[in-house]
Amino acid sequence: MLLKALLLFLVAHIDSVLSLNNTPGPQCRCLFSDPSCWPPADEFDSLSHQLSQPLISPVPPESACYPPSNPSGNCTNVILNSANGNWRANQSGSMESFNFETFIFANGSISACYLNTSLGVPCEQGSVPPIGVDARSAQDVQAAVAFAVKWNLKVVIKSTGHDLLGRSSGRGSFMIWTHNMKNISFDANFIPEGGPHNETFNELALTLGAGIQWNEAYAAGESYGRVIVGGTSFGESVGAASGYVLGGGHSVLSPTYGLAVDNVLQFTLVTSSASVLTVNAYSHPDLFWALRGGGGGTFGVVTSVTYNTHPPTPATLILLSVENFSSGAIAQSVVSKFLSLHPTLADLQWGGIASFDSSFFSFSGVAPDTTLAESNAAIQPFVDFVRNATAGSGETVQFSTVPFDSVYVLYDAYIASLGGAASSSAGLNGELVSRLFPRELLETEYEKVADTLLGLGDLVSYVLAGGGAVSKVDPNSLGLNPAWRKALGHAILAGGWADGTNATGIHQVENQLKGYLAVLEELASLYEKNFQQTFFGDHYARLESIKDIYDPVDLFVVIEGVGSERWDELLDCRKA
């Protein structure tokens, strides 16, 4: 059950050395551990006078449970909230997946601060940046960026810490924390900056600051009578204007309204020159192309995102589960039948998620703008198939459909309500691998796909993320990997481990995940041999050229991001 909870969380869940690129030989960032280059205290004092908030010194939140703890530390509070995604997002030193707070040295020793104090190991900083800026405005970000460039610091951009590749942390780095950039505005007739004055746009748009989370964005949309395309996670704690959208952003509404990037009208961001840019189809259109799918933390520090919105619509929630498959053959038949049904569901613009292994199957589907009768008619043949396949075999089948007045009410009742500590799986150790499945494969080889996924032996989460409106967008109109336009499903598998597991045990889990690469092609994971093709497809070269224009000093380097292959494994030093 722990691994199942971890996987469901990960699904829901996920961006002065001006001649750095041109100077031959390795070039290293200055890290906190190097007193020969780290800025002196008076320089940090000077920086603090330029900021709206005091500098922050992020620490692992678990440090409150170690004497002598931070005077403001409250171990009981940490224990109660450690698995609450929204609480973790509010801590500058907390990552949603605990393992990204830790650091494994080359000799196998681990620097970490475990919640389980009985392990008898000291509380250490791990990969949590030791100092940073609590940015509340673009001006705060400008000051932080200029300071980082001046002192050649390794920069980490963090909003909520949900990034599942660990891009929100970095040992010895300088953090730009955008979580408290909470501005929201609504425009009933949004006109992109630089757009032609004689053109009527008529777009009802929400502009979200970089720290806005989906629970806040959905509530804002509801207050204006609008729907915004966004993610689903326990408590809706994922950031709405940070890494989620910069990576593409799939949603249960994507088959109806497209991916998050398909709904973006404008960005504002701070580049490595400390310039504030407004970016849209008319202003810096090359960067607008790149930001829509080119990856978070890569081109600059995004300070706001403006989304197109949609009118409210009723929706039906479909819930189906099968417990205790009596045989692998029955499991295979159910999963195969579901995968064969997915193209039809995509044409109906359904979204949702299925989870399954050899003993379990569940499906939570969302059918926007669909009556209860229409939803039942679409799913009933599959339900009948499941009941017939399991008749007399001892399985437990549960099925229900629930109508809601709007998608927001559905979110509030079924997703946001799961945000408490007892329901969320934040605070665990875990990594994942995933793959997009194109429509053609599901139409012709669904049995092979089912056999392959079930044969891996782990719980699979299968997201109904594509098709419908997603497939109708010109794949070259934005920087997102073109593979999304042919994809229907997104299959995800995760591996986890307990606190205190040594490096050998952690590497065993990682090797298990690596082993999936031999079975499933083009997986997107920490272990990609060719992340450029997997994440960005044939858009990579153009993305790289745009990065070089707007970030010529390579300040913004993230794990498996555009240009990261120029750097060593830790992203500390540029390769010779």
Side-chain angles (χ1 to χ4, degrees):
M1 293 303 295
L2 178 66
L3 181 59
K4 184 181 294 185
L6 169 66
L7 181 54
L8 292 176
F9 165 70
L10 291 173
V11 172
H13 311 34
I14 327 221
D15 283 97
S16 327
V17 193
L18 298 178
S19 60
L20 185 62
N21 279 347
N22 301 317
T23 303
Q27 304 283 326
C28 294
R29 297 296 188 203
C30 181
L31 304 178
F32 179 73
S33 59
D34 188 348
S36 68
C37 64
W38 191 253
D42 61 339
E43 290 289 341
F44 280 108
D45 287 341
S46 177
L47 170 62
S48 67
H49 289 130
Q50 304 173 50
L51 303 170
S52 65
Q53 304 293 317
L55 288 167
I56 55 174
S57 298
V59 295
E62 297 79 10
S63 62
C65 298
Y66 288 76
S69 65
N70 184 316
S72 63
N74 183 329
C75 183
T76 300
N77 187 46
V78 175
I79 292 171
L80 290 175
N81 291 289
S82 180
N84 185 314
N86 281 296
W87 180 87
R88 295 191 74 86
N90 289 333
Q91 318 303 312
S92 63
S94 175
M95 309 302 151
E96 295 293 318
S97 295
F98 172 75
N99 49 295
F100 294 124
E101 294 178 20
T102 69
F103 184 82
I104 302 178
F105 293 93
N107 64 4
S109 61
I110 299 176
S111 174
C113 188
Y114 297 112
L115 183 60
N116 182 2
T117 59
S118 67
L119 293 171
V121 296
C123 173
E124 297 180 335
Q125 189 77 8
S127 289
V128 177
I131 193 167
V133 169
D134 179 4
R136 306 294 177 100
S137 66
Q139 291 73 30
D140 285 343
V141 176
Q142 285 179 286
V145 166
F147 185 82
V149 171
K150 176 182 177 181
W151 291 96
N152 188 32
L153 304 182
K154 180 177 180 178
V155 170
V156 164
I157 306 168
K158 178 176 183 279
S159 175
T160 64
H162 275 87
D163 190 279
L164 298 177
L165 291 177
R167 293 166 174 161
S168 303
S169 64
R171 183 172 177 80
S173 62
F174 177 68
M175 177 186 288
I176 301 176
W177 192 35
T178 63
H179 179 64
N180 290 311
M181 302 182 75
K182 294 290 190 179
N183 294 334
I184 299 178
S185 62
F186 178 74
D187 193 325
N189 185 25
F190 177 77
I191 299 176
E193 183 172 304
H197 296 292
N198 59 351
E199 183 174 340
T200 302
F201 290 89
N202 294 325
E203 273 139 344
L204 284 73
L206 270 178
T207 297
L208 309 176
I212 292 297
Q213 294 161 266
W214 280 117
N215 57 73
E216 298 163 319
Y218 292 144
E222 177 71 4
S223 70
Y224 292 109
R226 303 295 292 178
V227 171
I228 183 171
V229 174
T232 53
S233 65
F234 294 118
E236 304 292 11
S237 58
V238 172
S242 51
Y244 164 86
V245 62
L246 295 170
H250 61 56
S251 165
V252 295
L253 293 177
S254 289
T256 305
Y257 298 124
L259 299 166
V261 286
D262 300 330
N263 288 270
V264 172
L265 302 174
Q266 185 167 281
F267 296 94
T268 60
L269 84 161
V270 177
T271 66
S272 58
S273 66
S275 300
V276 179
L277 301 183
T278 299
V279 180
N280 55 49
Y282 307 94
S283 174
H284 308 286
D286 56 343
L287 185 55
F288 187 56
W289 183 90
L291 287 173
R292 290 177 295 156
T298 298
F299 301 93
V301 184
V302 170
T303 56
S304 73
V305 179
T306 300
Y307 284 94
N308 190 23
T309 62
H310 305 276
T313 179
T316 301
L317 175 66
I318 299 93
L319 300 173
L320 173 66
S321 67
V322 185
E323 297 279 356
N324 303 315
F325 282 122
S326 58
S327 72
I330 295 177
Q332 198 279 340
S333 67
V334 169
V335 174
S336 292
K337 187 68 172 180
F338 177 78
L339 295 176
S340 71
L341 178 65
H342 187 186
T344 298
L345 298 181
D347 292 341
L348 294 172
Q349 300 182 342
W350 286 27
I353 182 172
S355 298
F356 52 84
D357 57 23
S358 59
S359 64
F360 167 84
F361 175 88
S362 73
F363 172 54
S364 298
V366 176
D369 198 22
T370 304
T371 67
L372 185 62
E374 291 169 336
S375 300
N376 283 327
I379 197 66
Q380 193 63 51
F382 176 63
V383 176
D384 292 342
F385 175 89
V386 171
R387 286 177 171 157
N388 290 333
T390 59
S393 301
E395 289 87 350
T396 301
V397 179
Q398 295 183 329
F399 169 65
S400 62
T401 51
V402 186
F404 289 91
D405 292 337
S406 70
V407 173
Y408 176 79
V409 175
L410 187 157
Y411 278 137
D412 193 49
Y414 185 66
I415 302 294
S417 62
L418 301 178
S423 301
S424 176
S425 300
L428 298 177
N429 300 288
E431 295 176 4
L432 59 79
V433 292
S434 68
R435 177 185 172 169
L436 294 174
F437 287 95
R439 182 184 186 111
E440 182 180 1
L441 185 67
L442 296 171
E443 288 178 332
T444 60
E445 298 193 58
Y446 49 85
E447 290 183 343
K448 178 180 178 181
V449 174
D451 284 339
T452 301
L453 293 176
L454 289 170
L456 294 174
D458 273 333
L459 184 74
V460 177
S461 278
Y462 179 87
V463 184
L464 284 69
V470 176
S471 64
K472 297 176 182 178
V473 175
D474 178 356
N476 293 316
S477 63
L478 68 170
L480 184 73
N481 189 337
W484 271 104
R485 304 308 171 184
K486 296 181 179 180
L488 292 188
H490 185 204
I492 306 170
L493 296 101
W497 57 91
D499 282 356
T501 300
N502 61 25
T504 299
I506 294 172
H507 292 324
Q508 286 176 345
V509 176
E510 293 172 342
N511 286 334
Q512 180 184 29
L513 294 175
K514 290 179 183 179
Y516 295 150
L517 295 175
V519 180
L520 302 175
E521 298 177 355
E522 301 177 15
L523 285 174
S525 78
L526 283 170
Y527 315 112
E528 279 299 334
K529 295 180 180 179
N530 182 4
F531 75 86
Q532 296 96 328
Q533 180 63 33
T534 298
F535 288 143
F536 307 109
D538 58 12
H539 288 168
Y540 187 80
R542 184 179 175 190
L543 288 168
E544 190 173 26
S545 67
I546 294 170
K547 175 176 173 59
D548 288 342
I549 293 171
Y550 291 95
D551 183 21
V553 298
D554 245 8
L555 181 66
F556 304 112
V557 184
V558 297
I559 296 170
E560 297 191 349
V562 174
S564 63
E565 72 276 14
R566 306 166 181 169
W567 294 77
D568 64 12
E569 184 177 358
L570 296 177
L571 306 181
D572 292 343
C573 295
R574 190 180 176 93
K575 295 176 182 176

